[in-house]
Amino acid sequence: MKSETVKINPDGTLVLPEELRLRLQDNQELQVAWNDKFMVINYSILPQEKSEFDLDTKIKHFFNQLDQLLVFNEIDPITPDDIETEIAAYRMEKKSQNQS
């Protein structure tokens, strides 16, 4: 997977790398998800009849794509065991503070 910086022109248009522009077809749809801290732009190859998919199918497809990106995560996800370990450590710390 490649990663490049995408610039935004003053008029709000995105300047995509040439290689990416060549891959996109006219009127190709990109999926965009964002919150206050980040934005993800997702391009995936869907069948031509993609417009016939219902919204739930499009959302599931989008999140499946995001799941595939987790391999690039530098920090392993927090597991339920990690949470239980932290809770136990916190309880031990509070207990020792109360005994002092």
Side-chain angles (χ1 to χ4, degrees):
M1 176 173 274
K2 296 180 181 180
S3 174
E4 290 188 38
T5 301
V6 175
K7 296 187 181 193
I8 301 173
N9 283 336
D11 65 358
T13 59
L14 297 175
V15 180
L16 301 174
E18 183 177 4
E19 182 180 346
L20 180 56
R21 284 194 314 269
L22 294 173
R23 288 177 163 233
L24 297 175
Q25 303 168 5
D26 288 343
N27 298 317
Q28 177 73 45
E29 292 182 6
L30 301 174
Q31 297 168 323
V32 180
W34 68 91
N35 65 18
D36 293 340
K37 296 181 183 180
F38 69 92
M39 177 187 299
V40 175
I41 299 174
N42 182 36
Y43 162 75
S44 60
I45 300 170
L46 293 174
Q48 290 294 349
E49 61 273 2
K50 67 182 176 298
S51 60
E52 296 175 13
F53 289 145
D54 62 22
L55 182 59
D56 287 338
T57 302
K58 288 182 179 181
I59 291 170
K60 286 178 188 174
H61 181 75
F62 179 74
F63 282 103
N64 285 338
Q65 293 289 320
L66 290 178
D67 287 342
Q68 292 177 16
L69 292 174
L70 284 176
V71 298
F72 297 102
N73 189 1
E74 294 179 12
I75 302 171
D76 291 333
I78 296 173
T79 65
D81 288 340
D82 294 336
I83 294 170
E84 290 299 322
T85 301
E86 287 298 317
I87 291 171
Y90 176 78
R91 287 179 177 158
M92 293 280 285
E93 181 181 331
K94 289 304 249 182
K95 190 175 187 179
S96 67
Q97 287 176 355
N98 289 338
Q99 291 177 352
S100 303

